[in-house]
Amino acid sequence: MHNSEYIAQGFAHSPDSISLTWLPHFHDMGLLDGVIQPLFNGFPGFLMSPATFLQQPYVWLQAISRFKVTHSGGPNFAYDLCVRSINDEQLNTLDLSSWRVAYNGAEPVRAESLERFAQRFAAVGFRRSTFYPAYGLAEATWKGTG
């Protein structure tokens, strides 16, 4: 409960927050942001298949646009994959202005990746200040047995 409240404060969750995750629920980032935070804070949360994201990264950003998602993210590679795979025609269909927290974690966060993503998607409302690089070290926060 303490950790959920801490996350809610850090991400500035509110009743008008909307989350979307494609991250697997067996990983702490997918479980916490995709399932627990929407339940804990009482806001809508959309779930997307990890395979869908990996095969069609555009669908992730399209869903953020369509559902006016405020909170979503993933590992650093996700932002690089979007820059590499989303063409100009797809780009012009997006509106990322609702996105308030684009978390990035679970692997090293690379400034050049964030810069490329911010530049590529600025024209469709993405703000560089939306990025929320994170380091959680879940191995030190979960109580195990043994």
Side-chain angles (χ1 to χ4, degrees):
M1 297 299 279
H2 173 76
N3 196 32
S4 287
E5 182 59 35
Y6 189 66
I7 292 168
Q9 289 177 18
F11 281 8
H13 283 143
S14 69
D16 68 329
S17 295
I18 301 170
S19 75
L20 167 68
T21 189
W22 54 267
L23 299 164
H25 301 132
F26 59 78
H27 188 278
D28 62 319
M29 195 184 309
L31 178 64
L32 287 169
D33 190 61
V35 178
I36 294 175
Q37 284 300 300
L39 291 171
F40 182 79
N41 292 287
F43 59 76
F46 292 93
L47 306 176
M48 189 172 119
S49 163
T52 298
F53 168 74
L54 292 172
Q55 294 168 1
Q56 301 174 16
Y58 169 67
V59 174
W60 177 40
L61 301 187
Q62 186 180 42
I64 290 171
S65 295
R66 179 178 179 197
F67 299 112
K68 304 294 183 212
V69 170
T70 59
H71 295 73
S72 191
N76 198 84
F77 84 85
Y79 298 98
D80 283 332
L81 186 58
C82 286
V83 169
R84 286 193 316 269
S85 67
I86 294 173
N87 64 41
D88 290 345
E89 184 179 330
Q90 292 170 323
L91 176 74
N92 291 327
T93 69
L94 299 174
D95 175 5
L96 302 180
S97 62
S98 66
W99 205 352
R100 295 191 317 241
V101 174
Y103 53 85
N104 182 337
E107 66 181 15
V109 176
R110 307 212 181 280
E112 59 274 10
S113 297
L114 303 184
E115 185 59 34
R116 281 190 298 267
F117 187 92
Q119 286 180 2
R120 176 81 172 131
F121 295 98
V124 293
F126 185 82
R127 296 169 308 281
R128 181 178 279 105
S129 61
T130 301
F131 279 125
Y132 196 105
Y135 178 76
L137 189 61
E139 296 81 4
T141 59
W142 293 97
K143 182 184 183 312
T145 60

